[in-house]
Amino acid sequence: MTSLKLENISKVFGAGSNRVTALSDIEFEAKNGEFTLIIGPSGSGKSTLLTILGGLQTPTSGKVLLNDQNVENYTPKKLEYLRLKNIGFVLQSYNLVPYLTVQQQFDLVTKVKATNNMSSSSFDTVIDQLDIRSLLHKYPNELSGGQTQRVAIARAMYPNPSIILADEPTAALDSSRVIKVGEMLHDIAHAQNKAVVTVTHDQRLIDYADHVYELVDGILSQQK
Ligand SMILES: Nc1ncnc2c1ncn2[C@@H]1O[C@H](COP(=O)(O)OP(=O)(O)O)[C@@H](O)[C@H]1O
Ligand SMILES: [Mg+2]
């Protein structure tokens, strides 16, 4: 059982007249078996919230709890290990390695983390669902925005993390692909008992989510 919780999280950037409160008093919980969507316009704090959830940046105040433990209590090494084992990111920058082909991006995962990656049959299914088989020998700079996005989703799922955090995973996709990705995010959460959290401005994903939150000017409210 893995859970990820935010308690009373605030994030402030800058000081004086440059001061920006990106997040105010956020309470949030992501659970196994659920697809949670956070919807908000540009600049509302979505990426800040997601990167704090995944430990890529620290909050100004408040607590991040991974499996009910305050992450501040873990040593950096232990936290790094827990993240590698538990968390898969689909970031806006896509985090693909530019000099590796799509296939090699997956091979790299196997080198860093040898065990408990996706079985080859599950991987085959994902490759077909995301329609990226014909891209396996291409390099990231040969892919369109939508293709890159689909590869980045597969790349995040490949190590079998118990938590998947996705930042605008459908921004570059047409509606038929959005439906597939929405169904997939829902299925991963339910069939594989993972916690899936997606931040987006894409209203098209709402139907697939178990819970929907709205983020406006750094203030989070639960809608569903
Ligand atoms: N590193 C940073 N330094 C200063 N301001 C930042 C930084 N990151 C984000 N912000 C500000 O915080 C607010 C929320 O940003 P962000 O989380 O990227 O929103 P979203 O992902 O919803 O577009 C914006 O006003 C943005 O300019
Ligand atoms: Mg963003």
Side-chain angles (χ1 to χ4, degrees):
M1 178 81 189
T2 313
S3 74
L4 198 50
K5 235 183 268 181
L6 300 180
E7 282 182 8
N8 205 15
I9 289 284
S10 294
K11 180 70 176 178
V12 177
F13 292 107
S17 58
N18 292 324
R19 189 184 154 95
V20 176
T21 302
L23 298 172
S24 303
D25 293 337
I26 303 284
E27 302 286 335
F28 178 78
E29 183 173 11
K31 289 190 197 142
N32 295 64
E34 294 182 348
F35 172 24
T36 304
L37 197 64
I38 298 173
I39 297 258
S42 176
S44 59
K46 300 184 297 296
S47 297
T48 304
L49 198 161
L50 197 80
T51 48
I52 288 175
L53 257 183
L56 298 178
Q57 62 178 331
T58 52
T60 306
S61 59
K63 283 189 209 160
V64 181
L65 301 160
L66 177 59
N67 296 339
D68 291 319
Q69 285 283 322
N70 188 339
V71 297
E72 284 179 6
N73 297 339
Y74 292 113
T75 61
K77 201 173 161 198
K78 172 81 176 164
L79 198 54
E80 196 45 52
Y81 169 77
L82 285 173
R83 260 182 217 133
L84 178 69
K85 213 171 106 225
N86 288 304
I87 302 182
F89 287 100
V90 185
L91 295 176
Q92 276 177 303
S93 54
Y94 304 133
N95 51 339
L96 298 179
V97 183
Y99 52 86
L100 297 180
T101 65
V102 170
Q103 177 63 54
Q104 289 168 338
Q105 313 276 338
F106 299 106
D107 300 340
L108 177 66
V109 174
T110 315
K111 283 185 190 145
V112 177
K113 174 174 166 290
T115 56
N116 195 31
N117 295 315
M118 253 186 188
S119 68
S120 55
S121 66
S122 314
F123 184 60
D124 264 357
T125 310
V126 164
I127 292 288
D128 288 332
Q129 277 175 318
L130 289 168
D131 194 17
I132 59 174
R133 193 174 295 283
S134 62
L135 309 177
L136 290 173
H137 297 289
K138 295 196 171 179
Y139 287 90
N141 69 1
E142 298 175 294
L143 306 177
S144 71
Q147 290 172 337
T148 308
Q149 207 148 41
R150 279 143 50 210
V151 169
I153 294 169
R155 160 69 188 74
M157 289 169 58
Y158 183 65
N160 241 331
S162 46
I163 300 167
I164 293 181
L165 304 178
D167 196 345
E168 308 266 13
T170 54
L173 303 185
D174 61 48
S175 292
S176 63
R177 301 240 194 248
V178 172
I179 292 170
K180 282 207 178 131
V181 169
E183 287 173 349
M184 213 169 151
L185 294 171
H186 178 95
D187 289 354
I188 299 166
H190 286 253
Q192 300 175 33
N193 200 33
K194 295 183 192 299
V196 180
V197 180
T198 295
V199 300
T200 187
H201 65 264
D202 194 342
Q203 307 267 344
R204 296 174 296 183
L205 284 172
I206 288 178
D207 290 346
Y208 305 96
D210 299 298
H211 299 290
V212 178
Y213 289 79
E214 191 177 35
L215 187 61
V216 179
D217 294 336
I219 296 169
L220 190 70
S221 52
Q222 188 163 6
Q223 308 288 309
K224 174 181 163 189

